[in-house]
Amino acid sequence: MSDADRYEPSHGSRGFHVEHYDLDLTYRVSANRLSGTATLQVTMLEDAKEITLDLVGLAVDKLSVAGARLVKYRHRDGRLVVRLSEKLAAGAECTVTVRYSGNPGPVASAWGPVGWEELDEGALVASQPVGAPSWFPCNDRPGDKATYRTSLTVDSPYFVLAHGTLVDRRVRAATTTWVYAETHPTCTYLATVQIGHYSEIVLAGGPVPQRLVVGGKHASSATRWLERQPEMMTLFTELFGPYPFDAYTLVVTDDDLEIPLEAQGVSIFGSNHLDEADAVRLVPHELAHQWFGNSLSVASWQHIWLNEGFACYAEWLWSEASGGPTADALARRFWTRLHKLDQDLVLADPGPDDLFDDRIYKRGALTLHTLRTAMGDSAFFDLVRDWVARNRHGVVTTEAFRSLAAEHAVTAGGTKLAVRVASILLAWLDDEHLPQLPGR
Ligand SMILES: [Zn+2]
């Protein structure tokens, strides 16, 4: 088993790439019934006679393939194996069309239930890391990014948000069809649908349009809660470079949610977060994921610190810029907390069980803070902006970050700084032992 496979056992496939998902779906809210057709444009990455997709808890009603001859398919244990009459060569393309239906529900995973979730009045999708197959057949691994067209027909009173841009809305007698186009490469876990009795509130018209999607009951408290959202967008655009998508939407659901979640161009909060003192720090955290996680996506979950370390450090950067404790004060506070915990986690390879361990978030942020202290603000933020620009809408690994950091260190301070940066990254990323913070 390769390193990457250790993080994705019996999930996703490296043998092919899905270029585009066309989802044409109908959802009956009262019955929690989803039905429709998914059309996948597939490109083979290796010679193979089989294409194995992920689809959990829903039944395949019909399956066809264009561009190759289908022999049969088998759907068992969440794996949909499509067998072809002969091998397709690497580079060959075909189209797989799956008609399916059922009562969608979250996928049980080692990290708790994830995916499609019924709400009191509507539904939401929160898939990280393995929930996408709860609502569409897919190649469910973060490194396989695709474009999407999502058409969803629901009872007319409901508002539907999906990732991408609303390109069409057709109202019939009792139902409305909402069509969203996502033209940016998107990980399956970041594909989302939010259904509820929502309306839209504009938080900022530009330069990056920002809006809130919320039920009437929470509209004014959520608007107040997100008062500083446009300022955060301005700060992060300065620090990280241009916002990677066309717009940013924050959803506040009527239901309580355990944790907020990011999707492509979207963040989802529960109404309970409006009252939790600690939750407001997650507004900049979720926004930062649009750069770190959504535009720059991990090639495999092994590299998750590149998402969570940056998002956590963004909380500290916002605190520092908005009159709260400085990043350095926060770094010292969280270093002291980490120091009291077990030191048995390697950031660059935490293992699948510890993917969402809070130590990854905090130690990731501390790594970046140490790097910033060593390089100086100007060189550090140049590195961050270059990292974001070079990998825009791509996939990233820890090794790629390490080599870009080395390159910037040489430019900023010659071999001496490069050696220092390499040893910082070695100590923070590859060793279990918690290094001292600079200045101690
Ligand atoms: Zn996060």
Side-chain angles (χ1 to χ4, degrees), residues 122-438:
L124 67 74
V125 170
S127 291
Q128 192 184 24
V130 292
S134 67
W135 68 287
F136 66 103
C138 54
N139 183 9
D140 192 29
R141 54 183 202 86
D144 198 53
K145 299 172 82 168
T147 55
Y148 289 76
R149 178 187 163 276
T150 310
S151 168
L152 194 65
T153 301
V154 295
D155 298 332
S156 281
Y158 291 97
F159 181 102
V160 174
L161 174 76
H163 58 116
T165 305
L166 182 67
V167 290
D168 196 16
R169 195 169 75 97
R170 291 187 300 271
V171 184
R172 289 194 201 80
T175 63
T176 300
T177 300
W178 303 68
V179 184
Y180 285 85
E182 176 61 78
T183 56
H184 302 101
T186 299
C187 305
T188 48
Y189 82 91
L190 294 170
T192 197
V193 163
Q194 307 289 323
I195 303 167
H197 289 300
Y198 296 137
S199 52
E200 290 178 85
I201 295 168
V202 173
L203 298 174
V208 178
Q210 294 157 70
R211 63 176 177 161
L212 166 66
V213 164
V214 64
K217 197 160 61 168
H218 300 293
S220 61
S221 54
T223 310
R224 266 199 314 279
W225 195 64
L226 295 169
E227 206 170 45
R228 303 195 73 177
Q229 165 61 40
E231 279 175 75
M232 275 171 216
M233 182 66 85
T234 305
L235 176 73
F236 289 174
T237 302
E238 278 166 24
L239 297 178
F240 309 147
Y243 177 75
F245 305 104
D246 302 326
Y248 183 54
T249 305
L250 298 111
V251 179
V252 175
T253 65
D254 283 342
D255 294 50
D256 288 358
L257 295 184
E258 200 187 325
I259 46 164
L261 299 137
E262 70 272 19
Q264 197 80 321
V266 178
S267 292
I268 305 124
F269 295 87
S271 52
N272 53 311
H273 294 131
L274 306 177
D275 305 319
E276 291 169 12
D278 188 49
V280 75
R281 73 177 171 85
L282 297 169
V283 178
H285 179 109
E286 296 306 323
L287 175 59
H289 274 312
Q290 301 302 325
W291 286 263
F292 308 105
N294 298 17
S295 172
L296 278 64
S297 305
V298 290
S300 123
W301 291 115
Q302 178 181 343
H303 311 286
I304 190 156
W305 83 273
L306 289 169
N307 292 3
E308 300 305 345
F310 273 100
C312 181
Y313 198 52
E315 296 172 31
W316 302 357
L317 291 170
W318 167 250
S319 169
E320 180 168 286
S322 62
T326 62
D328 196 62
L330 290 167
R332 280 164 210 292
R333 181 187 302 173
F334 286 107
W335 185 92
T336 306
R337 278 190 212 171
L338 271 189
H339 189 61
K340 291 181 190 141
L341 301 176
D342 288 345
Q343 292 177 40
D344 58 359
L345 185 128
V346 174
L347 209 49
D349 190 9
D353 295 343
D354 287 332
L355 278 191
F356 300 102
D357 190 307
D358 191 53
R359 290 174 296 169
I360 293 186
Y361 294 57
K362 300 301 187 304
R363 186 167 174 146
L366 288 168
T367 305
L368 295 169
H369 186 67
T370 306
L371 210 52
R372 177 185 172 192
T373 310
M375 296 179 78
D377 274 14
S378 159
F380 173 77
F381 286 108
D382 277 353
L383 162 64
V384 172
R385 279 186 294 270
D386 195 26
W387 173 243
V388 166
R390 285 203 205 188
N391 297 295
R392 189 176 162 88
H393 300 308
V395 293
V396 291
T397 62
T398 301
E399 283 324 299
F401 181 75
R402 220 189 283 263
S403 77
L404 192 65
E407 215 179 282
H408 278 260
V410 170
T411 311
T415 319
K416 204 175 150 204
L417 184 60
V419 169
R420 171 105 189 86
V421 161
S423 83
I424 287 170
L425 291 179
L426 193 71
W428 283 93
L429 298 178
D430 304 311
D431 203 352
E432 291 182 348
H433 175 75
L434 183 70
Q436 289 290 333
L437 275 179

Side-chain angles (χ1 to χ4, degrees), residues 25-43:
L25 308 174
T26 298
Y27 182 62
R28 293 216 320 274
V29 174
S30 56
N32 183 40
R33 175 111 190 136
L34 184 70
S35 60
T37 303
T39 307
L40 283 61
Q41 285 172 22
V42 172
T43 304

Side-chain angles (χ1 to χ4, degrees), residues 43-114:
T43 304
M44 303 307 290
L45 299 177
E46 53 190 40
D47 301 358
K49 226 177 157 173
E50 279 182 0
I51 295 167
T52 301
L53 300 166
D54 303 295
L55 181 66
V56 179
L58 299 167
V60 175
D61 302 320
K62 188 168 186 268
L63 189 147
S64 62
V65 180
R69 219 163 65 81
L70 171 71
V71 176
K72 61 174 180 179
Y73 66 86
R74 192 185 73 224
H75 188 202
R76 194 188 296 157
D77 300 330
R79 299 285 271 171
L80 175 56
V81 182
V82 180
R83 186 160 301 155
L84 307 171
S85 65
E86 49 207 68
K87 257 189 192 169
L88 278 179
E93 293 173 9
C94 67
T95 303
V96 180
T97 302
V98 185
R99 207 167 75 196
Y100 62 103
S101 58
N103 304 107
V107 174
S109 83
W111 310 279
V114 285

